[in-house]
Amino acid sequence: MPLASRPLATGTATPSTAAPSTATTLPQGGGIDPLALLLKHDLPVPRYTSYPTAAAFHDGVGAEQLQAQLAQPSEAPLSLYVHVPFCRHACWYCGCNRVTTQLGSKVVGPYLAALGRELELVAAAMPQRRRLAQLHWGGGTPNYLNASETATLWELIGRHFDLADDLEASIELNPEFLDRDQVLGLRRLGFNRVSFGIQDADPEVQQAVNRVVPSDQLRRVMGWLREAGFASVNVDLICGLPLQTPERFKATLELVRELQPDRIALFSFAYLPEQLPLQRRIAAADLPSQQERIAMLQAANALLCGHGYDAIGMDHYARRGDSLAIAARSGQLHRNFQGYTTGGELELLGVGPTAISQFEQLFCQNQRDLKAYVGALERGELPVERGLVVRDPAVLERRSLIRAVMCDFQVELDLERFAPEWLALQELALDGLVELSEARGRGLARVTLPGRWLIRTIAAVFDPEQARRASGSRLV
């Protein structure tokens, strides 16, 4: 579900063809010990799921811009993201857009009607029917919907789009409420990829974040997913949760090794209680130290890379035969608002509150408030709240450079035009994060294996706004 194809200016990115190592280590360089080096660079940095980042979005972009974008004729396939905001209860670490409710079908029915109206408006704006190559349902909790509601939403999508024969259809699930019939039903409907959150398997940590899923249920869920024949199963883990310790997290890692998912996303918990009120239920004193976090990340990296996984980018792991690992080795890895992907240069259309649509020169984000979202649709308007138009060739070039760092782990530069960036890379080279070479006025920076721990810091070299005002989440 990556960005649309884009021409490069004179600074080009050269895909990496070298296979990533099966193990990475903490960065070492410049005589600084590994912990000190990570702490040295532990500043707020964007995740660079886009460039410019969502922090640059503004309300000067709205339905008119998206309408004009959709009106452009195209036979290229699309990626569609569908946001399902409902959750039965709130997980206290969560920063996602969600509606916590026990009302079930009483809220789902009207919401599906609203999604249907949005899909009608989108289809009416397009001069031709588009084909979907990728489909992803996220949340919230998409399996909040019952079997009938899930089938209704699938049918709504099929009413307005053609589904490719090799459609990559993925859904995020909460394992707490899953049963075998539901899993088999999702597979029969057409989903072939699944992601579910473990976060941490320790009962005390689970209680501390209000997300309790016994390990036996996680084992049952994985068994049902394998029985159903899903092509890929991803699990999410979070490092840095309250009451986590390296010893407790080791047990979670051992469970993951037992379950053998195809992909693993290992995120570092961003504790932002002033921005995310739910996190105020978490006491800062219960959080592990930075040293403990780093120890947990090291342990995860060593265990996973020692048991058949490749480290992909900054926080993803994939089995060496998985398409994500293959894409990383072949220089075909991509990145968008949903993280790393193999989907090529597809335009991304998002529906539902807070969903983001991503085109080469346009970003649009839907209304984040559910009532405002429904209100816009009742007025017959595409429910866009804010966004960004990007036409400046210099900005598009920097996007290409950042993507090259994040996905290809190397980037080629015109040394005269990017002299300040080359100087900054030289500083990072002293810390062993990149290796530099020069020839005929061009420079090549290769991210070292230890440098992948700090890949966002390296990418930020090409982000002038980040140099003016640091924003984003901390590294550890």
Side-chain angles (χ1 to χ4, degrees):
M1 299 162 280
L3 300 175
S5 177
R6 54 199 176 266
L8 296 180
T10 55
T12 59
T14 305
S16 172
T17 56
S21 167
T22 57
T24 61
T25 58
L26 277 172
Q28 309 223 19
I32 306 175
D33 72 78
L35 175 59
L37 190 55
L38 276 174
L39 296 181
K40 171 184 176 180
H41 294 284
D42 186 26
L43 300 171
V45 188
R47 298 187 65 81
Y48 291 115
T49 49
S50 73
Y51 183 78
T53 68
F57 291 3
H58 58 83
D59 60 11
V61 171
E64 180 181 354
Q65 285 76 15
L66 180 57
Q67 187 94 15
Q69 175 67 49
L70 294 173
Q72 298 179 20
S74 175
E75 296 183 358
L78 274 174
S79 177
L80 179 67
Y81 171 76
V82 182
H83 190 69
V84 181
F86 305 113
C87 293
R88 289 180 176 84
H89 60 76
C91 305
W92 294 341
Y93 56 79
C94 184
C96 297
N97 179 279
R98 74 205 170 283
V99 176
T100 304
T101 176
Q102 303 293 325
L103 292 178
S105 296
K106 291 182 179 179
V107 293
V108 171
Y111 183 67
L112 292 181
L115 276 179
R117 286 194 289 272
E118 184 177 9
L119 289 168
E120 288 174 359
L121 291 172
V122 166
M126 296 187 296
Q128 62 202 101
R129 189 176 173 95
R130 298 286 291 273
R131 177 168 55 90
L132 296 184
Q134 290 184 329
L135 172 64
H136 181 79
W137 295 13
T141 307
N143 59 309
Y144 186 95
L145 277 58
N146 64 32
S148 175
E149 292 158 349
T150 301
T152 296
L153 180 50
W154 185 277
E155 189 275 332
L156 279 174
I157 295 166
R159 189 181 302 172
H160 299 288
F161 295 96
D162 294 327
L163 306 184
D165 292 338
D166 58 349
L167 174 70
E168 183 179 294
S170 60
I171 184 170
E172 298 173 13
L173 302 174
N174 181 346
E176 182 179 0
F177 303 107
L178 270 180
D179 59 37
R180 179 176 178 272
D181 288 344
Q182 190 174 20
V183 169
L184 297 178
L186 290 171
R187 185 69 189 95
R188 284 194 298 268
L189 197 59
F191 287 102
N192 47 33
R193 293 179 177 271
V194 163
S195 179
F196 70 90
I198 293 178
Q199 321 310 0
D200 191 291
D202 183 88
E204 291 189 41
V205 176
Q206 291 184 353
Q207 289 284 354
V209 296
N210 198 39
R211 183 185 175 92
V212 178
V213 186
S215 294
D216 284 347
Q217 171 66 357
L218 296 171
R219 292 185 178 96
R220 283 190 291 269
V221 167
M222 184 60 83
W224 297 329
L225 292 171
R226 295 306 188 197
E227 177 189 353
F230 281 88
S232 180
V233 179
N234 173 85
V235 300
D236 291 342
L237 304 176
I238 299 179
C239 176
L241 294 175
L243 304 185
Q244 266 184 345
T245 65
E247 293 74 21
R248 285 176 169 170
F249 198 58
K250 182 179 179 181
T252 296
L253 295 173
E254 289 295 337
L255 175 63
V256 171
R257 184 176 65 83
E258 174 192 336
L259 297 178
Q260 297 186 347
D262 302 283
R263 300 177 183 179
I264 298 160
L266 173 57
F267 300 110
S268 188
F269 176 49
Y271 183 57
L272 304 168
E274 295 187 1
Q275 300 176 34
L276 303 173
L278 266 181
Q279 291 189 0
R280 296 171 192 167
R281 297 171 181 255
I282 297 174
D286 289 339
L287 298 175
S289 67
Q290 287 179 307
Q291 291 87 342
E292 288 175 314
R293 281 192 185 216
I294 292 169
M296 287 186 274
L297 291 171
Q298 273 192 296
N301 190 77
L303 185 144
L304 297 174
C305 291
H307 288 84
Y309 292 88
D310 281 354
I312 307 295
M314 58 183 177
D315 47 25
H316 284 59
Y317 294 84
R319 288 201 166 278
R320 289 169 199 147
D322 184 86
S323 58
L324 198 68
I326 294 170
R329 291 196 294 270
S330 62
Q332 300 299 311
L333 196 62
H334 299 276
R335 187 162 175 79
N336 69 359
F337 283 104
Q338 295 164 40
Y340 284 107
T341 176
T342 62
E345 301 294 337
L346 297 179
E347 295 178 338
L348 171 63
L349 177 65
V351 296
T354 204
I356 295 176
S357 296
Q358 190 170 1
F359 303 90
E360 180 182 3
Q361 297 184 355
L362 176 69
F363 299 116
C364 289
Q365 184 171 28
N366 279 354
Q367 293 284 348
R368 287 165 285 182
D369 178 77
L370 182 57
K371 289 184 179 179
Y373 166 79
V374 172
L377 293 168
E378 289 176 344
R379 296 190 299 272
E381 302 170 0
L382 290 169
V384 179
E385 178 180 357
R386 59 181 193 149
L388 187 68
V389 176
V390 185
R391 294 197 181 96
D392 186 343
V395 176
L396 294 172
E397 180 180 22
R398 288 184 177 275
R399 175 191 294 174
S400 296
L401 299 174
I402 289 172
R403 193 214 68 83
V405 172
M406 297 294 295
C407 296
D408 300 335
F409 313 118
Q410 67 176 34
V411 62
E412 186 180 342
L413 302 171
D414 181 312
L415 292 179
E416 182 178 355
R417 291 193 304 111
F418 290 96
E421 288 80 4
W422 191 249
L423 185 62
L425 289 171
Q426 289 175 331
E427 292 295 320
L428 296 178
L430 294 176
D431 286 341
L433 306 184
V434 293
E435 295 174 347
L436 306 180
S437 59
E438 301 180 29
R440 295 184 294 278
R442 300 192 68 78
L444 179 66
R446 296 181 184 272
V447 179
T448 63
L449 292 173
R452 295 193 191 183
W453 288 78
L454 294 159
I455 191 78
R456 289 191 284 156
T457 297
I458 300 168
V461 166
F462 301 99
D463 182 354
E465 186 60 32
Q466 187 67 11
R468 287 190 286 269
R469 183 177 62 85
S471 63
S473 59
R474 301 183 78 91
L475 298 171
V476 293

